[in-house]
Amino acid sequence: MKSLVQFFFKLGSPNWFYKVSSYLVPVFALLSIGLMSWGLVAGLLYAPMDFKQGNSYRIIYIHVPSSFIALSCYYMMALLAAVYLIWRTKMAAIVLRSCAVIGAAMTFIALVTGAIWGKPTWGTWWVWDARVTSMLVLFFIYMGIFALSKAYEREELGSKAAAILALVGTVNIPIIYWSVDWWFALHQGATLKLTEKSAMDSAMLFPLLVMIAATYCLYVLLILLHSRAEIIRSEQRKQWVKDLVK
Amino acid sequence: MQFNSLQELWFMGGHGSYVWSAFAITATVVLGLVLQPILKRRKVFADIKQRKQFEAQQ
Amino acid sequence: MSDVSSASLRRPSMAKACWQLFLAESKLLIRRPMDVFNPLLFGFLVTLMFPLGLGPDPATLAKLAPGLVWIIALLSCLLATDQLFREDFDDGSLALWLLSPQPMYFLVMTRVFVHWLASGFIITLVSPILAIMLNIPMQAIPALFLSILIGSVSLIFIGAIGAALTVGLKNSSILLTLIILPLYVPVLIFGAAGVQAATMDMAAGSYLAILAAFMFLAVSLAPLAIYGGLKINLDAG
């Protein structure tokens, strides 16, 4: 128990985080490159064609994983926001700011690939579907948190404001998802049925699982890279950072 | 292998432009996400080096 | 001398402090009526823009009116919140206010409530006029009035979070819009849907109940975030 407390204590120190993460970066870089090449080759070259959608379904191999990360990044951000506001851990703020950028980018990827996938499948780039709409709202929430964290001259205050907004968003996002679902159900009469679930062939499903694993590794890698760069930037006057430069 | 030639892979039965543009946009965004912290770190290190040299001259 | 110090040491009860704050804030608002009128003028101006953009056809306007009036009310509330803490922050009275010995949770609540009376409530009062200008069916007017009455409380309390978080920043209005509008989504959905239902002669009670649930959630939780936001900006000043 004591060592666990100590571990969290150390985790809060930028210096320690920087040193430990320097071993983790190559591991996750190799994992994400390896898994991603495997998943992409399997998904693009070997997975059979979908008999209804043709080859356009292959966009699923980036669309679904990026949507997963877009959501789980928010959970992580909310957790970090609570940790930061309660214990004032500096590392939590740094990772939180990285999460806002990565989450926004992943949401953007999910939206754009969804739009591109929609054109050949449903004949339209954009549908005000429940999931698309909530994803768009999530994108704006990420952008708001990011913009707020950058708006303050003193970084610490920007992080605090962003953390508060992230927690406000945490209360709001389930309500937003629920109301957008409800709104879509209310107006569904004229729209296409998009949420039709069909059993996926295992030859199609397997590359998807690989890609999901690969994207999670990429996500960890990105968090590490962004947090490390941010640590170096904010601690550049400290001796241990100066010692890194030969 | 689902495709017999490179052309077939590129064309993807008429859906090539959609699939490849989706993958290209994703690759661009991910590349940007990977490069941004690396460049940022490099710049900070260059700044520190410059400051060190300046201090050494003093 | 001793009178002054004993008076300053005597804490008024919480309810009394809230009441005093209520009176003081209301007086301030009465002395500066333009602060109340500007969001209203904005609402009328936006109402003028819709027929100009969509065409004057009464049937088209009537069909879109529930959503349009709700969007106008929402934007007016958002516009009104921008100035909520600005002046007090600039002249330093906000810093003094946060030093008061009363629980800030209730003081913040009172203050935002007064602000609602001057903005959300007034907008509610004129919303039937805007709706009639947009040719909404008459039977929807009560539902419209009630939904904006209840919904605007949530709008103002959520907007106040943004106002508190951006009070110390220059050019904050765009940022305020960016961080607050996504949070308005649920209120807009249920508010507009309730009015829509009423135009089709359906009961709007359940929509109002959900709006009321949002209202209680916003009123009870928002003061925490507002207080946090104000404290951050005072640290910066």
Side-chain angles (χ1 to χ4, degrees):
Chain A
M1 187 61 208
K2 202 176 170 192
S3 63
L4 193 72
V5 172
Q6 224 164 22
F7 174 73
F8 278 109
F9 184 70
K10 278 182 179 163
L11 205 61
S13 137
N15 190 348
W16 191 83
F17 184 96
Y18 190 84
K19 274 173 191 151
V20 171
S21 62
S22 61
Y23 298 105
L24 292 175
V25 166
V27 174
F28 279 97
L30 281 178
L31 267 177
S32 43
I33 291 172
L35 282 173
M36 207 159 273
S37 354
W38 181 15
L40 285 178
V41 168
L44 285 174
L45 303 180
Y46 289 93
M49 200 173 86
D50 188 86
F51 73 96
K52 257 196 259 164
Q53 301 184 19
N55 281 311
S56 67
Y57 94 93
R58 290 179 203 279
I59 294 174
I60 201 175
Y61 296 122
I62 44 179
H63 177 71
V64 167
S66 58
S67 319
F68 274 26
I69 304 292
L71 269 177
S72 54
C73 195
Y74 200 90
Y75 292 125
M76 174 137 177
M77 207 162 71
L79 196 73
L80 288 164
V83 168
Y84 181 58
L85 289 176
I86 295 168
W87 288 292
R88 302 280 138 117
T89 321
K90 202 173 173 196
M91 262 327 291
I94 291 174
V95 182
L96 185 140
R97 293 156 80 107
S98 320
C99 273
V101 179
I102 297 163
M106 288 293 173
T107 318
F108 176 78
I109 292 176
L111 281 169
V112 170
T113 53
I116 294 173
W117 192 7
K119 184 63 186 165
T121 313
W122 307 301
T124 166
W125 295 103
W126 190 267
V127 181
W128 291 100
D129 163 50
R131 275 186 293 176
V132 176
T133 312
S134 0
M135 214 46 161
L136 188 65
V137 177
L138 184 68
F139 176 70
F140 286 124
I141 291 178
Y142 272 126
M143 290 313 282
I145 292 171
F146 177 67
L148 191 64
S149 77
K150 291 277 175 201
Y152 283 81
E153 268 172 41
R154 265 170 62 193
E155 233 164 75
E156 185 203 345
L157 304 174
S159 305
K160 272 186 200 162
I164 291 179
L165 187 60
L167 284 184
V168 172
T170 314
V171 177
N172 250 281
I173 283 177
I175 303 176
I176 292 174
Y177 268 70
W178 170 73
S179 33
V180 170
D181 266 348
W182 179 89
W183 159 83
F184 185 63
L186 182 76
H187 296 279
Q188 208 167 14
T191 40
L192 304 148
K193 201 174 176 198
L194 306 180
T195 44
E196 189 181 317
K197 284 263 186 300
S198 54
M200 254 183 118
D201 189 78
S202 65
M204 292 178 182
L205 186 64
F206 182 68
L208 181 62
L209 295 178
V210 175
M211 279 306 283
I212 289 172
T215 317
Y216 266 98
C217 290
L218 178 74
Y219 169 54
V220 175
L221 176 73
L222 286 173
I223 285 182
L224 291 177
L225 284 177
H226 278 252
S227 308
R228 281 163 60 85
E230 186 64 23
I231 289 172
I232 291 294
R233 199 189 55 77
S234 64
E235 309 259 294
Q236 54 180 299
R237 308 267 167 192
K238 298 259 171 77
Q239 193 55 47
W240 72 267
V241 180
K242 285 183 187 165
D243 290 343
L244 290 174
V245 185
K246 290 288 153 345
Chain B
M1 205 60 146
Q2 291 292 310
F3 304 97
N4 299 318
S5 66
L6 267 180
Q7 261 115 6
E8 233 174 273
L9 176 66
W10 181 246
F11 190 59
M12 278 207 173
H15 288 149
S17 55
Y18 300 113
V19 175
W20 292 116
S21 64
F23 276 83
I25 290 170
T26 308
T28 317
V29 174
V30 170
L31 202 70
L33 276 179
V34 172
L35 283 181
Q36 191 245 336
I38 292 174
L39 293 177
K40 185 163 141 191
R41 204 170 69 130
R42 192 174 287 176
K43 191 183 169 297
V44 174
F45 276 157
D47 285 353
I48 294 174
K49 205 168 186 177
Q50 208 176 12
R51 235 178 289 141
K52 266 190 171 174
Q53 278 167 357
F54 180 73
E55 279 162 15
Q57 277 171 11
Q58 295 273 305
Chain C
M1 216 37 211
S2 64
D3 262 15
V4 174
S5 61
S6 70
S8 63
L9 285 174
R10 202 175 59 232
R11 281 185 188 187
S13 75
M14 194 189 71
K16 204 176 165 193
C18 288
W19 175 240
Q20 291 293 344
L21 180 70
F22 179 83
L23 290 180
E25 287 289 313
S26 315
K27 249 182 228 165
L28 273 177
L29 281 168
I30 290 165
R31 289 194 187 144
R32 275 183 318 182
M34 274 330 271
D35 282 7
V36 178
F37 281 118
N38 283 345
L40 280 188
L41 285 177
F42 173 80
F44 277 101
L45 265 173
V46 179
T47 312
L48 164 70
M49 294 301 145
F50 280 125
L52 293 178
L54 298 170
D57 175 32
T60 316
L61 287 177
K63 197 171 159 234
L64 297 174
L68 294 184
V69 176
W70 250 95
I71 292 170
I72 294 166
L74 183 144
L75 291 176
S76 307
C77 284
L78 187 70
L79 195 75
T81 46
D82 189 30
Q83 292 299 317
L84 176 49
F85 301 110
R86 179 57 46 84
E87 206 158 304
D88 283 1
F89 179 79
D90 288 342
D91 68 14
S93 51
L94 197 68
L96 284 177
W97 188 57
L98 287 195
L99 286 175
S100 71
Q102 307 298 335
M104 282 313 293
Y105 179 79
F106 292 104
L107 290 188
V108 167
M109 204 185 270
T110 311
R111 202 185 157 121
V112 179
F113 179 73
V114 175
H115 184 74
W116 172 78
L117 279 180
S119 55
F121 182 61
I122 306 281
I123 291 162
T124 312
L125 289 182
V126 300
S127 63
I129 305 175
L130 303 182
I132 290 167
M133 284 166 80
L134 290 172
N135 205 32
I136 206 168
M138 273 316 198
Q139 71 267 28
I141 298 279
L144 176 95
F145 184 81
L146 285 175
S147 71
I148 294 187
L149 183 74
I150 302 170
S152 62
V153 181
S154 318
L155 295 180
I156 293 291
F157 270 79
I158 297 171
I161 299 175
L165 283 171
T166 58
V167 71
L169 301 171
K170 289 181 197 110
N171 303 325
S172 61
S173 4
I174 298 277
L175 186 61
L176 177 80
T177 312
L178 180 63
I179 65 180
I180 289 308
L181 274 184
L183 306 178
Y184 276 178
V185 165
V187 184
L188 173 66
I189 287 177
F190 283 97
V195 183
Q196 191 83 56
T199 59
M200 295 183 283
D201 287 322
M202 289 190 290
S206 53
Y207 301 92
L208 296 178
I210 291 170
L211 284 176
F214 289 159
M215 176 182 81
F216 286 119
L217 197 67
V219 170
S220 56
L221 291 182
L224 300 172
I226 296 168
Y227 177 51
L230 290 177
K231 251 189 14 190
I232 290 172
N233 281 286
L234 287 169
D235 287 351

